[in-house]
Amino acid sequence: MADRHPSLRAYLAGALVARTGDDMAGPALLLAALARTGSATGASSLLAAVTVSAAVGGPVLGALLDRAARPGRLLAGALLLYAAGLAVILGGLGRVPFAVTLLVAVVAGLLGPALSGGWTAQLPRVVPGKRLPRANALDAMTFGVAGLAGPALAGGVAEASGASTAVVVAAVLIAAAAPAAWRLPAPAGPVATPAGPVATARPAPMTGLVASGVRAVLGSPPLARATLTSVLSCAAQGLMIACLPLLGERALGGAGFGAALLSGAALSALAANAILARHPRAVAPDTVLWAAPLLQAAALALAATGRPVALVVAVMAVGVAEGPQLTALFAVRHREAPDRLRSQVFTTGASLKITGFAVGAAAAGPLAGWSLPGALLVAAGTAALAAPAFFAVRTADRPARPARPVPRA
C-alpha cells in the first residue's frame, strides 16, 4: 500500500511547488501588466480577472473531483491548463486588445481552485485520521512557504530579467507539480454522488452536484461562518496586494520591492503556522477564525501611514494573522465536510475566497488612484468586518439548530 500511494512528504512537495508558482503568478502578472500598459487600474483589473472566475470554476471542479475515480489525474490536467493560460495571458499583453487578454485571464482563472481547495481536499486520503491535525497544519504551511518564495521570486526575477520572465517561471513551476498531482491516491471506496455510489445510482446532473456543494457550505453554520470570515479577509488581502507595487514605488524605491514585501508576510505566517504544527490543538480553530482578522485590520491601518518601517511591520503582522487563520479554516472544513462532498466543500470555499480577493483587487486600482492610504484603510475596515460577521452567522443559526448527537464514524 505504501508503494502505491504517495507519502505526506510527496504530497507536501507537490503542493509547495504548485502554490509557489501560483503565489509568484499574481505579483508577476501585476508587474508585467504595469510595465506593458503603464496603468495601475489595468494591472489590478488583470489580477481581478484571473481570480474572479473562481466563483464558477471552484464548485464545478469540486463536483468533478468528487465524481472522479482518479481525482489526482484531473488535478494534474487542471495544473497544466492553468500554466498554459498564464503563458497565453503574457503573450497577449500589449499585443492584442486588453479586453481580449482579460477574457483569457477569466478563462484561465476557472482552474485556480485546483491549487488550493482541490489539492487540500485530497489530504485525508494521504494520511490517517489521527495524523490529520498535524498534516493539516503542515499543508497550511505550504501556503506560507509559497507565499514567502513566490513574491520574492517574482520581485527578484522581475528586477533581474523583467516581469515577463517572472510570469514564465511561475507557469513552469505550476506545470512542474503535475506529476505529484497525478500520483495522488484514489478514493478507497466507490465514487459517490449525492444520490449514492456511481456504481449503483444514476449519475446526478452537474448542476445538481454543484448545488449540493454550495448547500453543504451554506447549510452548515460552522462552514458558513468560516467561509464568510475568510472571504472578507481575502477581500482585504486583495486590496492590500494590489496596492503593494505603488507602495513599493513611494516608500521603498521600486515596484518590485513592494511585491517582495509579501515575502515578509509569508515569513511571519510560516513562523506562526510552525508553532501551530507543533501544538495543533492549542487554540480552537473557530476562535482563530474571528480573532485573526482583527489583527489583520490593525496591521492594514498601520500600513496606511506609508512610512517604510511601519509598512514592513504591518505586512509582517498581516502574515501572523493570515497563517493561523488558514490553518483554522482547513481544520473546520476537514471537521465539517461530508466525505462524499469533501472536494466540493473545499473548492467552493476556495472559489469564494478567491472571488473575495478579486473584488478587493479590482477595487484597489480606483481607490489607490484616489488615495493610497484611503485604499489601505478600506482594506482595514473590510478585515474588521470579519469578526462581527462570524458572530452574526452564529447567532442567526443557533436558535434554529436542533440539539442532536453528532454521529460517529
Side-chain angles (χ1 to χ4, degrees), residues 13 38 166 237 312 315 317 362 409:
Q237 185 183 23
V312 172
V315 171

Side-chain angles (χ1 to χ4, degrees), residues 225-251:
R225 61 178 176 251
T227 300
L228 176 58
T229 302
S230 66
V231 166
L232 288 169
S233 295
C234 271
Q237 185 183 23
L239 278 159
M240 181 195 76
I241 289 177
C243 290
L244 284 180
L246 290 176
L247 281 169
E249 284 184 347
R250 297 184 186 182

Side-chain angles (χ1 to χ4, degrees), residues 80 299 343:
L80 292 174
S343 292

Side-chain angles (χ1 to χ4, degrees), residues 27 39 70 84 115 124 126-127 145 152 203 207 242 291 300 331 360 386 402:
S39 168
R70 294 300 303 265
L115 288 86
V126 178
V127 297
V145 176
T207 53
L300 289 168

Side-chain angles (χ1 to χ4, degrees), residues 105-326:
V106 168
V107 174
L110 292 169
L111 301 169
L115 288 86
S116 52
W119 202 303
T120 296
Q122 312 309 313
L123 184 58
R125 295 171 184 156
V126 178
V127 297
K130 64 181 181 180
R131 294 174 55 201
L132 187 57
R134 182 174 183 272
N136 175 58
L138 292 172
D139 185 38
M141 284 177 66
T142 66
F143 285 92
V145 176
L148 174 64
L153 281 171
V157 173
E159 290 291 330
S161 304
S164 297
T165 304
V167 177
V168 171
V169 173
V172 169
L173 286 173
I174 292 169
W182 185 274
R183 295 180 58 243
L184 287 171
V191 180
T193 71
V198 169
T200 60
R202 189 176 181 180
M206 182 58 65
T207 53
L209 289 172
V210 171
S212 65
V214 174
R215 284 196 301 269
V217 172
L218 300 183
S220 164
L223 286 174
R225 61 178 176 251
T227 300
L228 176 58
T229 302
S230 66
V231 166
L232 288 169
S233 295
C234 271
Q237 185 183 23
L239 278 159
M240 181 195 76
I241 289 177
C243 290
L244 284 180
L246 290 176
L247 281 169
E249 284 184 347
R250 297 184 186 182
L252 302 175
F257 294 114
L261 274 175
L262 285 176
S263 296
L267 181 62
S268 56
L270 180 61
N273 274 341
I275 296 172
L276 284 181
R278 294 181 64 86
H279 309 283
R281 295 180 176 86
V283 183
D286 300 271
T287 301
V288 175
L289 281 173
W290 66 261
L294 297 178
L295 175 58
Q296 181 188 19
L300 289 168
L302 178 62
T305 64
R307 298 173 182 173
V309 175
L311 180 59
V312 172
V313 172
V315 171
M316 297 284 284
V318 165
V320 171
E322 290 176 354
Q325 187 188 39
L326 183 63

